[in-house]
Amino acid sequence: QVQLVESGGGLVQAGGSLRLSCAASESIFSGNIMGWYRQAPGRQRELVAGITSSGYTTYTDSVKGRFTLSRDNAKNTVYLQMDNLKPEDTAVYYCAAAGYGSNRYNYWGQGTQVTVSS
């Protein structure tokens, strides 16, 4: 079954950490890219980080040095480790996947709320 199941969101104080997890079905985890988007109220959805099947990662400038995206192929899971969180990181975070044969994000999780208090 094609699905993305997210977990790990919550409330945290500025400077704290959270670890988001995204468990995917094997069929879409085997695709070229997995990633995380986020969307805050009144703002456009932005790609936070992405990882290829080879392990190459990209990050938006605002999270470089603070967030780390990794994958566990045995568990069909990607992780977003978020350190030194800031209030501006507050958003709904969505796991996304391309699926086999695509370099565009075609599958989406339901989202998990991350709230950073000051």
Side-chain angles (χ1 to χ4, degrees), residues 3-6 22 45 93-97 107-112:
Q3 63 176 4
L4 299 170
V5 181
E6 301 144 322
C22 175
R45 185 174 296 187
Y93 284 70
Y94 298 90
C95 185
Y107 304 96
W108 300 84
Q110 295 182 2
T112 185

Side-chain angles (χ1 to χ4, degrees), residues 19-78:
R19 189 194 195 196
L20 305 184
S21 298
C22 175
S25 63
E26 184 177 359
S27 62
I28 59 174
F29 189 82
S30 65
N32 288 332
I33 50 174
M34 299 283 293
W36 288 91
Y37 278 78
R38 67 184 180 187
Q39 187 168 31
R43 297 187 178 183
Q44 296 182 1
R45 185 174 296 187
E46 67 169 338
L47 179 63
V48 177
I51 186 167
T52 69
S53 59
S54 65
Y56 181 82
T57 55
T58 60
Y59 302 90
T60 192
D61 286 344
S62 63
V63 308
K64 287 181 179 178
R66 299 189 298 118
F67 291 11
T68 304
L69 180 60
S70 62
R71 61 191 293 155
D72 185 337
N73 293 339
K75 296 181 178 179
N76 294 331
T77 300
V78 296

